């Protein structure tokens, strides 16, 4: 196997110049917290991340996720009309004061949940989607299990206080990532600062103050009750990297936002997300006794690399390829690998695969080619 080694990925990564502000312990005022990068799912900082705590209205991230999954699958549409039941109207807490049998579109109710944390709309959407709030809660817990949210037990779609309704900073990050990674249209709602419903008659103001006051903020959901105290899943994007900062049981509303900013600032200062690629076009690899003379290697797998900025700035790429192959060759067959290192540390290793299948020549095809070569040579 031959090797091709690049120089520094300076051209692609020259903008990532700052060195990280290392932190042994960040100034976060909360019982539990976690910082995660969206693309890779890598955890960058965490304290008590698996401690089971009340999430308050941060619960609604799962409610929103199930609604968005239904929309994106075609089972639900933004313009579908939802009627409010007496039960949905009885929720109390944060709400838009739905009247029994009042109808609103899925889009309007989703906006009310994302911006104003409307409990009545959360339950109305849950009932519309699953037939009842209890059936919807079963879906919530099933989805939590599928996402690996092992610290979680949901009892309602709202986060209103209920004994045993718990989750963790780790699990909130998992469902937050699933939402923003696979359903980016939710940003249309989570980035709204102020808006209206009912033809302008009812005003909405985002409970997440970072949307207005933090550069790159993209969401996501606040929550607070007397027992849960102040909670938040905050998302923000800068330079192509989106971070998720989870805060649970912070003493005050101001401290939860400041703590989230501390986590986000640390992540953006210390880390960079790079897309590693071969340093130059990869040469075809000859295929012996194949119907085609060669295959062209291509990169397989996710080329995203999350690392400390000083490591990103010193990244090197090494390409290892087979010198030749013997037919048959399958499409996607591994023919080499790309290894990304920094200061001798391997950051990533990705396979290089054949771009197409190549069948083996039959006996008669080989004979025909031999005769053609002999005739042409004569």
């Amino acid at each position: 196997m031959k090797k091709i080694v690049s120089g520094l990925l300076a051209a692609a990564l020259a903008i990532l110049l700052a060195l990280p502000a290392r932190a042994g312990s960040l100034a976060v005022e909360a019982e539990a917290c976690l910082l995660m990068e969206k693309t890779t799912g890598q955890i960058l900082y965490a304290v008590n991340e698996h401690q089971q705590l009340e999430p308050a209205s941060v619960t609604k991230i799962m409610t929103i996720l199930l609604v968005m999954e239904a929309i994106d699958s075609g089972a639900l549409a933004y313009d579908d009309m939802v009627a409010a039941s007496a039960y949905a109207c009885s929720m109390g807490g944060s709400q838009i004061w739905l009247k029994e049998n009042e109808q609103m579109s899925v889009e309007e109710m989703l906006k009310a949940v994302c911006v104003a944390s409307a409990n009545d709309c959360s339950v109305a959407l849950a009932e519309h989607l699953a037939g009842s709030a209890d059936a919807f809660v079963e879906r919530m817990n099933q989805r939590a299990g599928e996402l690996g949210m092992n610290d979680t037990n949901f009892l309602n779609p709202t986060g209103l206080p209920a004994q045993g309704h718990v989750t963790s900073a780790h699990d909130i990050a998992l469902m937050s990532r699933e939402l923003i990674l696979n359903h980016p249209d939710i940003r249309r709602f989570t980035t709204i600062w102020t808006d209206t419903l009912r033809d302008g008659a009812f005003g909405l103001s985002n409970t997440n103050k970072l949307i207005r006051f933090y550069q790159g903020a993209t969401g996501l959901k606040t929550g607070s009750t007397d027992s849960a105290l102040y909670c938040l899943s905050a998302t923000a994007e800068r330079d192509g990297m989106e971070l998720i900062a989870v805060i649970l049981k912070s003493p005050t509303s101001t401290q939860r936002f400041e703590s989230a900013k501390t986590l986000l600032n640390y992540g953006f200062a210390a880390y960079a997300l790079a897309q590693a690629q071969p340093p130059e076009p990869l040469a075809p690899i000859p295929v012996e006794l194949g119907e085609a003379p060669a295959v062209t290697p291509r990169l397989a797998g996710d080329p995203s690399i999350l690392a400390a900025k000083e490591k990103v700035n010193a990244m090197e790429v090494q390409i290892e390829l087979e010198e030749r192959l013997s037919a048959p060759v399958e499409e996607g067959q591994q023919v080499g690998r790309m290894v990304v290192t920094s200061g001798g540390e391997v950051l990533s290793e990705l396979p290089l695969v054949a771009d197409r299948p190549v069948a083996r020549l039959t006996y008669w095809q080989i004979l025909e080619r031999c005769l053609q070569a002999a005739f042409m040579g004569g």
Side-chain angles (χ1 to χ4, degrees), residues 40 44 47 108 150 214 222 224 233 323 332 354:
T40 63
L44 307 181
V47 175
E108 289 175 314
N150 299 323
Y214 190 79
T222 61
S224 64
S233 179
E323 294 186 1

Side-chain angles (χ1 to χ4, degrees), residues 58-79:
V58 177
T59 297
K60 294 185 177 83
I61 293 172
M62 180 58 80
T63 301
I64 295 165
L65 173 61
L66 292 180
V67 171
M68 289 303 299
E69 288 180 341
I71 291 171
D72 289 345
S73 72
L76 193 65
Y78 282 123
D79 57 2

